[in-house]
């Protein structure tokens, strides 16, 4: 049984940093694309960052580039998202996802991922 469990969310001030973690079980992350998505109230789920379970390459949404860093720890079976210089626009529920992407898939669309965590809330106050 595949499980993705996020942790590390919370309420912070604008400009602060936060680190999210996603612990994966029931799958060999070496073969998967791992990603973080987020969803704000009344908005669609949007791509944040992705990384291959075996490591690089990484890809980021323009809105978080140079502020967020995604990384994978194969031994711990976890994928982290380090967030710096947080803004109020970053407020959302953040989801971890894992999928076996086909060659033409980019990894930036929710439909490309089979497994999802339950989400963790990040709230950034001005």
């Amino acid at each position: 049984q595949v499980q993705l469990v996020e942790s590390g969310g919370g309420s912070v001030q604008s400009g602060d940093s936060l680190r999210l973690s996603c612990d994966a079980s029931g799958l060999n992350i070496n073969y998967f694309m791992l990603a973080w998505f987020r969803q704000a109230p009344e908005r669609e789920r949007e791509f944040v960052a992705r990384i291959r379970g075996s490591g690089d390459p990484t890809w980021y949404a323009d809105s978080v580039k140079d502020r967020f860093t995604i990384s994978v720890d194969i031994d711990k079976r976890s994928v982290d998202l380090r967030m710096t210089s947080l803004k109020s626009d970053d407020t959302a529920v953040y989801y971890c996802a894992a999928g076996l992407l086909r060659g033409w898939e980019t990894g930036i669309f929710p439909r490309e991922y089979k497994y999802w965590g339950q989400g963790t809330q990040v709230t950034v106050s001005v």
Side-chain angles (χ1 to χ4, degrees), residues 29-30 32-34 50-58 71-72 74:
I29 64 172
N30 282 288
F32 282 77
M33 184 71 75
L34 305 168
R50 65 155 173 82
I51 187 171
R52 291 199 177 276
S54 56
D56 289 335
T58 57
S71 62
V72 62
I74 296 175

Side-chain angles (χ1 to χ4, degrees), residues 41-126:
E42 301 181 359
R43 297 190 65 177
E44 293 187 353
R45 191 166 299 189
E46 66 173 5
F47 168 76
V48 175
R50 65 155 173 82
I51 187 171
R52 291 199 177 276
S54 56
D56 289 335
T58 57
W59 192 260
Y60 297 92
D62 288 343
S63 59
V64 306
K65 200 174 296 182
D66 298 327
R67 297 190 300 121
F68 290 12
T69 303
I70 188 171
S71 62
V72 62
D73 187 325
I74 296 175
D75 292 335
K76 293 182 179 179
R77 294 187 177 184
S78 66
V79 54
D80 288 355
L81 184 69
R82 297 188 193 91
M83 307 183 292
T84 65
S85 302
L86 283 162
K87 309 173 183 178
S88 57
D89 288 347
D90 296 317
T91 295
V93 177
Y94 283 71
Y95 296 92
C96 175
L100 291 169
L101 270 60
R102 290 168 288 189
W104 63 88
E105 293 179 322
T106 62
I108 65 173
F109 299 104
R111 64 175 181 266
E112 296 172 328
Y113 294 85
K114 181 176 181 179
Y115 303 108
W116 291 86
Q118 82 289 349
T120 185
Q121 176 71 46
V122 172
T123 303
V124 184
S125 302
V126 175

